[in-house]
Amino acid sequence: MARLSFAHVRSRFWMAACWVSAAVVLAVCAGIVLAMAARGIGALEPSFFTTDPQPSFEESLAGGIRAPLAGSVILAVSGILAVFLPSLGAAIYLAEYMDEQKLGTRAIRLGLEVLAGVPSVVFGFWGLAVFSQPIFAFLSDSAGGDATSAFGRSFLVGALVMAVHILPFVVKVMEEAIRAVPRALREAGYALGLTKWRMIKRVVLPSAAPGIVTAIVLGLGLIVGDTAIVWLTVGGTMTMSGADAWWLPHNWLPVLKGTGSTLTTFIFYSSPAGEGNAPGKAYGAAFVLLALVVALNAFVAWIGRQRSIKAQ
Amino acid sequence: MSYDRMEGTDMSSSQEAAIRLRFSRADGSLGRLGTEKLVERALAFSAASSGAAILFVIAFVFMKAYPLLARDGLAWLARADWDGAVMEAWWNPDFWRFGALPLLVGTFATTTGALMVAVPLGVGCAIILSEVAPPGLGRILATAVRLLSGVPSVIFGLVGLTVVVPFVQKTFITEELGLRYVDVPLDGQSLLAGSLVLAFMIIPFVVAVSADAMRSVPESYRFGGLALGMTKWRTIAKLVIPPALPGIVAGIVLATARGIGEAIAMAMVAGGLANIPHLDRGFVAFLEPVRTLASAIVENGEGMSVLQVESALFSLGATLLVVSVVTSILARAAFSRLRTKTGLATERAI
Amino acid sequence: MNDVAEVVLPAVPTAGTASVDVACEPWAVQAAGVSSWYGSNQVLKDVDICIPQRRITALIGPSGCGKSTFLRCVNRMNDLIRGFRMQGTVSVHGEDINGPQVDVTLLRRTVGMVFQHPNPFPMSVYDNIALAVREHKPSINRDELDGIVEQSLKDAHLWDEVKDRLSGSALGLSGGQQQRLCIARALAVKPEVLMLDEPCASLDPIATGKIEELLLQLRERYTIIIVTHNLAQARRISDEMAFFLMGEMLEQGPTQQVLAAPQREETAAYLDGSYG
């Protein structure tokens, strides 16, 4: 066997180190998924999805995740509804109308960048303080019924805070999608005699639709995965305080104005860190949450693939 | 063709009058331009209200922090008593002597510890991803990194609390150790556990941004190096990493920002005590509990009904705001040095 | 909000009535003293040109000589480019395109444009054409729209190839079909002038042949201006020819005349293949 030179030994050593780090990252990722599966799958019986959490020291009596799962969906949908129009409007303005030279528009861009870096816990605490002001009492059930302060915690409050939190990210992805529409298509639109807004509406937005949907789905993922904002602004009740039968339309407003939980706060609460002390249930919920996040990611990847197939 | 070439240029006024207007609006109406202006205003309004939201968040946080800042300046950042101060403020309405130094130290220590793990692993992983891995493996690795970045922090917290914390406790904490240092609880919830968990939360940022920066280095650099007889590693170290360095730095800065801001997972695994680790105890310092700025806001959130605590917590929030502004400016500066083309993942990360 | 805008719109002139005016307007497009700049870079220098009606006029010249810029001046597409500046006058059927009361959207309907690379919208074949029609006539009913779509596709010699796949994506068509779709789309809003900017540059010879044949038929109803690099193509289809060099229009005349006896040495040199 030929003697390896120092250079080759060194090269092999460092390449091996790189392979080891890749293997560690893969292993940790697999480890998390396997840990969820191994400890969580046991909890996944039909009743897990059809019963609400029960306060109990006995894990077998701790109920299921019906209310938190519904809470995640309610919060995600209402948060996206709140953020959609403002973010789409801002993205169109930034991509199509903005005069990069103007101070105001540059300030907006810088501001969005700064807002994107602010940790969600700051938003949560900010939201709690803002929406506890008496003028926002209509958004949350006042705890004691006094008019001097609002409770400041409800699905509506949570959705609004989430909207502010994910706005910069959603705007960024949407703006990227809008900017990615080829110049040739815009010119074709103008050459047909469309005004700027009609061109945007008829040509740019339909072409950017997959990217806009991607922004929405990524935004859903951020809402579903966040804990700090939910913990601080949706309240710590495991079930809906507004009405137990949240699925009945006449209960929707009370539910939105009431407190509740999502999968993330359920996990936090049921883990050894919270008071629920039902780690099996926490793992079950974590497994469901992870599956949700993976499904959202897969959907985004699918949209991307559709787009690249179309482009060919 | 028998027409006079220049005939049309000077038209008599009678001819001019006979022109049927095709695209001018003789009535001076704006046509659709009115709607256009309206739409533009509406869009500008939504962009401006996004801007206003930012101003409102920042102004509100500083406004709420003001009572403490006005009384204490920045002295609360250098004092070393947090838990006791929060307790005292509950019953003493004149108490304003908060000490956030343990939280600063906790934040700094967990983030630094996490970076010490995440940077080498992340850069190594990025090298494999962009330089070495065959397409199939590359896809798997990229999927794993994306999955890791999508895992909610509460799941990291849960796994950390039920896997990493018991591991730290069993491996490093002996009964003898617990008896020797009775002033802080040594139960596995620790700086070490916090750093380990945080490391894997921030690794995706390092990998995605670094791999993107490396991929944007022209192929010709690599061919050039290999053609000179350099080994694979030397080619990467000398020709690929240097031009990609600003991107790698930007990835690290973003990862740092994410680490500093993480609240829930740190509240779950780093321990529930605002404690400054005792460096004189050597390795035991890593086994001591710490609390970070962000997790203090979650853990002491119930203190919001007390004016002083609320102001102190908002002061922590203001600190985090300032830090995130500084890091986003730093990341921006790093990116602007990355002259080569960068892909979507990089842009999306900031 | 949209419906409000539509109501305000006055009736739009159609090509059908244009024939009445032909007698007093021999020129479809006239340019006098046109100079233009992108930033500080002058791309057109004092261009005078007259484009006759119902003819095919070919603009020839080496790349970068300003032919495309001139086209984009005529329908004011250059307005969209920051830093663009123009002097001189361009009129279409005697009407100044830079006049204070000009509605650019109506100008662009009057002067249709087809681009170098086929640029169908990423939607169905039908919608590609229906989009512009609906935009200009929002109250149009389905039957009428179907009729216009069919007629435009027939005019563009595309109907037989796509009539069974009108709802399929336009991106699934071949390059030549896409370009004919773009022509059909431009025809659907009933322009009077049709400008084509190197429409065959990215097409194979067979697709090119189909487009040339199409243009020869369209010349009976439309004024056609075509920018081309391909001298043989200009010879085959154009009635009139204008030679551009370095932003100047050096020579204009009937195609046969320019080709047989160019007046300027530069034109002769270009025709001999001395410029790229």
Side-chain angles (χ1 to χ4, degrees):
Chain A
M1 204 167 129
R3 207 174 134 268
L4 283 172
S5 70
F6 169 69
H8 281 100
V9 173
R10 184 174 57 181
S11 176
R12 289 199 177 178
F13 171 77
W14 284 110
M15 293 319 292
C18 291
W19 279 108
V20 169
S21 31
V24 169
V25 171
L26 266 181
V28 168
C29 185
I32 290 176
V33 175
L34 288 179
M36 291 302 108
R39 303 189 186 192
I41 266 178
L44 301 183
E45 319 160 332
S47 66
F48 188 58
F49 296 95
T50 55
T51 52
D52 284 341
Q54 304 290 333
S56 169
F57 291 109
E58 186 81 30
E59 176 145 13
S60 58
L61 300 175
I65 57 164
R66 187 177 67 173
L69 186 57
S72 279
V73 174
I74 292 170
L75 190 68
V77 170
S78 45
I80 286 296
L81 286 179
V83 84
F84 180 70
L85 275 183
S87 58
L88 186 61
I92 295 173
Y93 190 78
L94 290 177
E96 300 283 338
Y97 288 90
M98 185 165 100
D99 182 355
E100 296 281 348
Q101 318 295 324
K102 270 193 196 159
L103 192 68
T105 43
R106 259 160 53 197
I108 290 175
R109 203 177 268 292
L110 183 74
L112 283 174
E113 221 163 278
V114 168
L115 200 55
V118 176
S120 74
V121 65
V122 176
F123 282 102
F125 202 56
W126 163 81
L128 179 56
V130 168
F131 292 104
S132 296
Q133 308 290 319
I135 55 162
F136 290 117
F138 64 94
L139 291 173
S140 54
D141 285 335
S142 177
D146 63 339
T148 55
S149 82
F151 187 44
R153 298 173 183 85
S154 73
F155 278 106
L156 277 180
V157 170
L160 287 176
V161 177
M162 282 292 183
V164 178
H165 171 50
I166 67 173
L167 180 87
F169 180 79
V170 174
V171 168
K172 190 171 183 64
V173 180
M174 284 183 177
E175 189 191 342
E176 246 168 47
I178 291 171
R179 281 188 190 274
V181 173
R183 202 187 148 76
L185 292 186
R186 297 162 195 271
E187 292 199 329
Y190 282 126
L192 288 171
L194 271 58
T195 58
K196 184 164 187 171
W197 166 241
R198 310 297 289 180
M199 194 283 296
I200 292 169
K201 190 175 153 193
R202 294 281 176 228
V203 178
V204 173
L205 293 185
S207 307
I212 293 169
V213 174
T214 299
I216 295 301
V217 178
L218 290 172
L220 282 174
L222 285 182
I223 297 181
V224 168
D226 192 272
T227 318
I229 291 178
V230 186
W231 185 252
L232 289 165
T233 65
V234 184
T237 54
M238 281 300 100
T239 52
M240 310 280 181
S241 73
D244 278 336
W246 46 264
W247 56 89
L248 297 174
H250 68 265
N251 282 337
W252 287 356
L253 192 63
V255 165
L256 283 174
K257 285 174 72 172
T259 62
S261 62
T262 63
L263 286 175
T264 53
T265 51
F266 176 81
I267 295 167
F268 186 58
Y269 193 78
S270 323
S271 78
E275 291 150 48
N277 220 358
K281 303 287 180 188
Y283 268 104
F287 187 77
V288 173
L289 177 60
L290 198 61
L292 246 161
V293 169
V294 169
L296 289 174
N297 275 338
F299 184 59
V300 168
W302 179 78
I303 295 172
R305 264 205 312 281
Q306 292 304 107
R307 200 156 31 161
S308 60
I309 290 170
K310 253 190 176 175
Q312 276 163 13
Chain B
M1 285 172 217
S2 59
Y3 42 79
D4 176 2
R5 202 154 283 285
M6 295 320 284
E7 181 193 67
T9 33
D10 2 45
M11 266 179 291
S12 70
S13 53
S14 65
Q15 266 174 315
E16 213 158 348
I19 291 173
R20 183 178 60 79
L21 291 178
R22 286 171 168 80
F23 46 78
S24 300
R25 294 188 181 274
D27 56 355
S29 71
L30 281 171
R32 281 183 173 174
L33 296 178
T35 322
E36 288 289 305
K37 280 263 171 281
L38 214 64
V39 168
E40 184 171 349
R41 291 227 181 101
L43 293 171
F45 177 75
S46 50
S49 48
S50 315
I54 299 150
L55 276 184
F56 181 53
V57 171
I58 293 175
F60 190 88
V61 167
F62 276 92
M63 189 187 88
K64 285 281 186 181
Y66 180 73
L68 177 66
L69 297 180
R71 282 182 176 77
D72 210 16
L74 292 176
W76 54 278
L77 280 173
R79 234 176 265 129
D81 180 25
W82 177 260
D83 290 322
V86 170
M87 291 297 285
E88 180 136 11
W90 273 96
W91 56 268
N92 181 355
D94 295 322
F95 183 83
W96 287 94
R97 282 180 61 86
F98 291 93
L101 188 62
L103 307 178
L104 274 183
V105 171
T107 307
F108 179 78
T110 46
T111 309
T112 311
L115 284 173
M116 279 169 13
V117 178
V119 170
L121 282 186
V123 174
C125 190
I127 289 175
I128 296 295
L129 196 55
S130 97
E131 305 297 314
V132 192
L137 182 68
R139 256 202 309 281
I140 294 174
L141 203 52
T143 309
V145 171
R146 210 173 304 128
L147 181 68
L148 218 45
S149 75
V151 173
S153 53
V154 70
I155 291 187
F156 275 104
L158 180 65
V159 175
L161 195 53
T162 55
V163 178
V164 181
V165 167
F167 167 78
V168 168
Q169 187 182 21
K170 280 190 202 116
T171 319
F172 300 110
I173 299 172
T174 57
E175 214 168 309
E176 184 257 341
L177 213 55
L179 290 172
R180 180 138 49 111
Y181 303 110
V182 286
D183 53 340
V184 287
L186 298 179
D187 57 1
Q189 294 193 12
S190 57
L191 169 58
L192 179 63
S195 297
L196 278 176
V197 170
L198 198 55
F200 287 95
M201 300 182 72
I202 66 178
I203 264 187
F205 287 83
V206 181
V207 178
V209 185
S210 309
D212 232 18
M214 288 183 208
R215 278 202 204 99
S216 66
V217 174
E219 273 300 291
S220 58
Y221 288 26
R222 299 180 182 92
F223 294 143
L226 295 174
L228 284 171
M230 289 165 75
T231 59
K232 182 101 189 166
W233 169 250
R234 294 299 280 176
T235 308
I236 293 169
K238 290 287 159 189
L239 299 173
V240 176
I241 291 185
L245 202 57
I248 298 172
V249 170
I252 294 170
V253 172
L254 291 170
T256 310
R258 176 80 169 79
I260 291 173
E262 179 49 44
I264 290 293
M266 290 304 96
M268 290 169 86
V269 300
L273 201 65
N275 166 51
I276 298 180
H278 300 78
L279 283 178
D280 54 320
R281 296 176 188 172
F283 180 70
V284 177
F286 287 96
L287 305 175
E288 293 183 28
V290 292
R291 180 179 285 176
T292 68
L293 289 167
S295 60
I297 297 179
V298 171
E299 294 190 70
N300 299 112
E302 78 279 5
M304 210 187 81
S305 50
V306 181
L307 174 69
Q308 306 100 293
V309 179
E310 186 192 55
S311 186
L313 292 177
F314 269 104
S315 301
L316 302 183
T319 312
L320 286 172
L321 259 179
V322 170
V323 170
S324 62
V325 170
V326 171
T327 46
S328 64
I329 289 170
L330 282 179
R332 216 179 183 197
F335 272 120
S336 67
R337 287 178 151 250
L338 187 68
R339 297 215 172 276
T340 43
K341 181 179 137 280
T342 53
L344 208 65
T346 302
E347 288 182 6
R348 201 166 274 175
I350 46 171
Chain C
M1 184 158 30
N2 308 324
D3 299 331
V4 178
E6 329 299 14
V7 175
V8 181
L9 262 186
V12 167
T14 57
T17 55
S19 56
V20 182
D21 307 319
V22 169
C24 63
E25 292 170 25
W27 304 116
V29 178
Q30 287 168 281
V34 172
S35 297
S36 70
W37 294 261
Y38 292 123
S40 58
N41 180 25
Q42 185 167 10
V43 277
L44 289 177
K45 293 173 189 157
D46 200 19
V47 169
D48 293 309
I49 197 169
C50 297
I51 311 273
Q53 272 194 26
R54 311 277 162 102
R55 296 282 183 279
I56 297 181
T57 302
L59 309 185
I60 60 166
S63 43
C65 65
K67 311 171 299 246
S68 298
T69 306
F70 177 74
L71 278 198
R72 299 168 67 95
C73 282
V74 177
N75 66 347
R76 285 182 55 182
M77 287 296 279
N78 282 324
D79 290 10
L80 306 171
I81 294 167
R82 186 183 284 276
F84 175 82
R85 202 151 54 79
M86 176 186 150
Q87 274 177 7
T89 58
V90 176
S91 53
V92 172
H93 291 297
E95 197 174 340
D96 184 357
I97 63 156
N98 286 311
Q101 293 183 334
V102 167
D103 182 333
V104 179
T105 65
L106 295 181
L107 167 67
R108 291 186 186 139
R109 291 181 56 192
T110 314
V111 184
M113 185 163 185
V114 174
F115 296 82
Q116 184 170 356
H117 296 285
N119 54 1
F121 300 129
M123 45 187 88
S124 72
V125 173
Y126 185 95
D127 286 340
N128 257 277
I129 296 173
L131 183 143
V133 179
R134 277 205 199 100
E135 206 54 40
H136 293 299
K137 201 173 175 191
S139 57
I140 194 166
N141 64 40
R142 184 75 191 193
D143 289 343
E144 207 179 333
L145 187 59
D146 287 349
I148 293 179
V149 170
E150 181 174 342
Q151 191 54 50
S152 309
L153 287 169
K154 279 180 173 160
D155 287 349
H157 294 191
L158 191 59
W159 175 251
D160 291 334
E161 291 163 62
V162 300
K163 65 180 180 221
D164 300 323
R165 50 192 289 196
L166 289 177
S167 55
S169 169
L171 301 182
L173 301 178
S174 73
Q177 288 173 327
Q178 288 189 2
Q179 195 62 300
R180 277 179 283 145
L181 178 63
C182 292
I183 295 176
R185 187 173 67 187
L187 297 180
V189 295
K190 300 195 165 68
E192 297 178 31
V193 179
L194 183 63
M195 308 194 298
L196 302 101
D197 187 357
E198 296 188 45
C200 304
S202 57
L203 302 183
D204 62 61
I206 294 172
T208 302
K210 283 188 180 165
I211 292 203
E212 289 179 5
E213 188 188 324
L214 165 64
L215 292 179
L216 286 171
Q217 295 200 357
L218 292 176
R219 99 187 241 285
E220 291 165 17
R221 283 184 289 154
Y222 302 92
T223 301
I224 294 175
I225 313 176
I226 178 169
V227 163
T228 178
H229 264 115
N230 183 339
L231 272 179
Q233 181 175 60
R235 185 196 312 270
R236 283 194 296 269
I237 62 172
S238 69
D239 306 297
E240 184 89 355
M241 188 177 259
F243 174 65
F244 279 70
L245 184 67
M246 313 270 286
E248 289 179 88
M249 202 286 287
L250 292 183
E251 180 166 0
Q252 185 191 359
T255 298
Q256 297 311 325
Q257 191 182 312
V258 174
L259 288 176
Q263 304 291 306
R264 304 275 300 241
E265 324 174 5
E266 294 93 335
T267 318
Y270 179 73
L271 297 175
D272 286 348
S274 306
Y275 300 111

